[in-house]
Amino acid sequence: MALSLDFLTLPLLAAASLVFFSVLAGVFSARVGFSFLLVFLVVGTLAGVDGPGGLVFNDFRLSFWVGNVALAVILLDGGLRTDMRTFRTGLRPSLLLATLGVVLCTAITGAAAHWLLGLSWPLALLVGAIVGSTDAAAVFSLLKSSGVTLNERVAATLEIESGMNDPMAVYLTLTFIGIALALGGGGSGTVDVSEVLLSLLQQFGWGALLGLGCGWALAELLKRLGRGSDGGGGIRALLVVSGGLTVFAGTTWVGGSGFLAVYMMGVVVGNRARRQVRPSLSAMDGYAWLSQAGMFLLLGLLVTPSDLLRTLWPALGVSLVLMLVARPISVWLCLAPLHFKPREITFISWVGLRGAVPIVLAVFPLMAGVQGAQTFFNVAFVVVLTSLMLQGSTIAWSARRLGVTLPDPEDTAQARLVYGDFVLDASTSLDNLCAFYGLPVPAGSTQDIASWLLNELQRPPVVGDSMLLGQAEVSVREMAGHRITRVGIKLG
């Protein structure tokens, strides 16, 4: 009797078909501004128990495992592509958003969940923690496919924040799960504050230490291996991915943040062994897209739309509070002291994309047996869906509208529109500039234009920064490292 391979062929047929049709639909949907990730999520939902596909899938452990592995690969890929100069530009604001910003988002969104869903404070704050952080998969892929070039400060802040805020979200989620179980699940009814703080130190401490240390070791190994032929970088990409997953798992095992470790490892490897890593980036891009496809499809399969409808309106309310109140307030409080422009803060507030991370975090309370945990999963799914639909599809439009984009270097007309018709060396005396164009002479006019811009900006400059000088707008047009070399003059 012939051996039946139905146990292999049928699941493989279903999985491969889902990915194929998701990618195909994504290609067409991207043309009208919808995200690939949204398509994967919707296709997974339609293939599920309430959709035309009718597939029964409720394996939360498998989804949790796949989600964590996929996020690790995506964060590693994002770290490998982060230039150290960009990292320095965005590190300070990103750290504030990834720590204080997540806490503020959690608190405000938790208050909305308490009011709209009628949850106790520990459970409401747990909802806030689950949806409190931006998502690396969504941010990396949607910024890349948006078709616009953001100024370095904005792009670096968004990308590094999404790579570094997962540890705080995971920490807060686990903390509020512990509090909820202690107060309502037969626990002692008390919370050990010292244990909570120790857990925070372990998460960030081990994550940073192992990420930096292992990243340095892998970079040195890659440099010693050289740039020999390895199938176009495929073998080297496999080496980097397996090393990243090893660090992710090991760091998590010792109580640290595997997400932080794998992202930091990617940054170190990508900058210390740039020449060796560059050939493998195309293969890494394939790994990252496969991870995103598999993760969003599985998470979509977990959703039961008929159950989702019971909490749809309160969940939409939580989502709107997060997008329109919690995220803007937290971003303004974190970035205004760092002298970000209002339009930059507004854009960063709007592009607080939620993706797979909240859905993966929503699996935590389900696995821990927290009462009413299915509600948290449904709320997370609605938040992600509305974020991808509203925020993800308007990235390019909002970037252009708020003026945080840079012109295409090869488009002379567009460059003139942004920088003006006149280009000057930044070492030109401010006195000479004002005399030539008939502009008011500011205090300290003996300095050059570059020094004046630095004093006026009160922050590290990036290409696209501008300041008003009378009726003229002086813009940073070119830089060499941290030094302004050329400026554009636009006369009003």
Side-chain angles (χ1 to χ4, degrees):
M1 185 173 65
L3 175 65
S4 174
L5 294 179
D6 287 354
F7 72 96
L8 168 67
T9 54
L10 292 180
L12 181 59
L13 176 64
S17 299
L18 280 176
V19 173
F20 177 82
F21 286 111
S22 297
V23 173
L24 188 63
V27 170
F28 290 105
S29 67
R31 296 178 181 177
V32 294
F34 285 105
S35 128
F36 269 93
L37 305 183
L38 178 62
V39 173
F40 292 143
L41 200 61
V42 170
V43 169
T45 305
L46 292 175
V49 62
D50 278 357
L55 296 177
V56 179
F57 180 81
N58 57 2
D59 193 335
F60 286 96
R61 286 188 176 273
L62 174 62
S63 301
F64 179 77
W65 190 90
V66 170
N68 276 270
V69 172
L71 285 171
V73 173
I74 293 163
L75 284 167
L76 176 62
D77 180 63
L80 290 171
R81 299 170 192 273
T82 301
D83 185 85
M84 187 57 72
R85 182 170 61 91
T86 301
F87 191 80
R88 292 193 186 103
T89 300
L91 180 59
R92 189 179 176 194
S94 299
L95 276 175
L96 277 174
L97 290 173
T99 51
L100 177 61
V102 173
V103 172
L104 290 172
C105 261
T106 296
I108 298 171
T109 309
H114 174 70
W115 179 56
L116 293 169
L117 294 167
L119 299 174
S120 64
W121 276 110
L123 295 181
L125 290 172
L126 175 56
V127 171
I130 288 170
V131 300
S133 70
T134 58
D135 180 70
V139 171
F140 290 151
S141 65
L142 292 181
L143 287 183
K144 188 187 303 182
S145 62
S146 64
V148 296
T149 303
L150 302 175
N151 79 50
E152 184 181 297
R153 180 184 300 105
V154 171
T157 299
L158 285 168
E159 291 179 2
I160 298 171
E161 177 205 5
S162 70
M164 298 184 71
N165 64 9
D166 292 340
M168 179 58 79
V170 172
Y171 165 75
L172 290 174
T173 298
L174 294 176
T175 297
F176 287 120
I177 286 175
I179 293 174
L181 292 175
L183 298 180
S188 61
T190 60
V191 177
D192 189 339
V193 177
S194 62
E195 187 176 334
V196 170
L197 294 176
L198 178 61
S199 174
L200 177 63
L201 291 175
Q202 285 180 331
Q203 286 278 320
F204 283 88
W206 280 117
L209 181 64
L210 291 176
L212 293 172
C214 294
W216 179 87
L218 182 57
E220 293 303 308
L221 175 62
L222 289 173
K223 286 192 283 188
R224 281 168 172 73
L225 291 175
R227 300 178 65 193
S229 175
D230 60 3
I235 296 297
R236 189 173 285 117
L238 185 58
L239 178 67
V240 172
V241 167
S242 58
L245 291 177
T246 300
V247 171
F248 171 79
T251 305
T252 304
W253 182 59
V254 299
S257 170
F259 295 119
L260 178 60
V262 77
Y263 179 70
M264 295 302 296
M265 177 183 177
V267 173
V268 173
V269 172
N271 284 274
R272 287 190 62 87
R274 185 181 303 277
R275 293 177 61 196
Q276 290 74 25
V277 167
R278 190 179 295 117
S280 65
L281 288 180
S282 59
M284 286 297 307
D285 195 47
Y287 290 144
W289 272 109
L290 180 61
S291 298
Q292 292 177 77
M295 177 171 57
F296 277 84
L297 282 171
L298 272 183
L299 296 175
L301 282 170
L302 285 176
V303 176
T304 306
S306 58
D307 186 48
L308 193 69
L309 291 174
R310 300 173 188 171
T311 55
L312 178 61
W313 293 112
L316 282 173
V318 171
S319 181
L320 290 175
V321 169
L322 174 62
M323 287 191 290
L324 303 178
V325 181
R327 173 71 177 178
I329 288 176
S330 62
V331 172
W332 276 91
L333 290 176
C334 290
L335 299 188
L338 300 181
H339 304 287
F340 274 65
K341 292 183 176 179
R343 65 173 184 262
E344 294 175 333
I345 296 177
T346 302
F347 181 76
I348 293 171
S349 300
W350 180 243
V351 190
L353 296 165
R354 267 61 186 177
V357 171
I359 303 179
V360 171
L361 291 181
V363 177
F364 279 48
L366 281 165
M367 295 175 62
V370 176
Q371 186 176 5
Q374 185 63 47
T375 298
F376 308 152
F377 187 86
N378 292 340
V379 171
F381 185 84
V382 171
V383 167
V384 170
L385 200 61
T386 52
S387 178
L388 292 178
M389 289 180 65
L390 297 178
Q391 297 172 311
S393 61
T394 57
I395 289 179
W397 176 83
S398 57
R400 295 189 184 99
R401 186 78 175 176
L402 291 167
V404 296
T405 61
L406 295 179
D408 186 337
E410 298 182 0
D411 189 335
T412 305
Q414 190 181 19
R416 284 183 174 178
L417 186 64
V418 174
Y419 300 123
D421 291 321
F422 308 101
V423 183
L424 290 177
D425 191 293
S427 61
T428 302
S429 166
L430 193 61
D431 263 339
N432 293 340
L433 171 69
C434 294
F436 187 81
Y437 290 107
L439 301 173
V441 180
S445 60
T446 55
Q447 60 190 331
D448 58 28
I449 301 174
S451 300
W452 174 78
L453 274 171
L454 284 171
N455 291 334
E456 292 295 311
L457 288 170
Q458 299 182 35
R459 61 176 184 265
V462 296
V463 173
D465 275 339
S466 63
M467 294 299 300
L468 289 176
L469 180 58
Q471 297 300 311
E473 183 179 1
V474 183
S475 304
V476 179
R477 184 158 182 163
E478 291 182 13
M479 294 187 64
H482 299 290
R483 185 171 58 89
I484 303 172
T485 56
R486 302 180 78 193
V487 299
I489 310 294
K490 184 192 294 185
L491 300 177

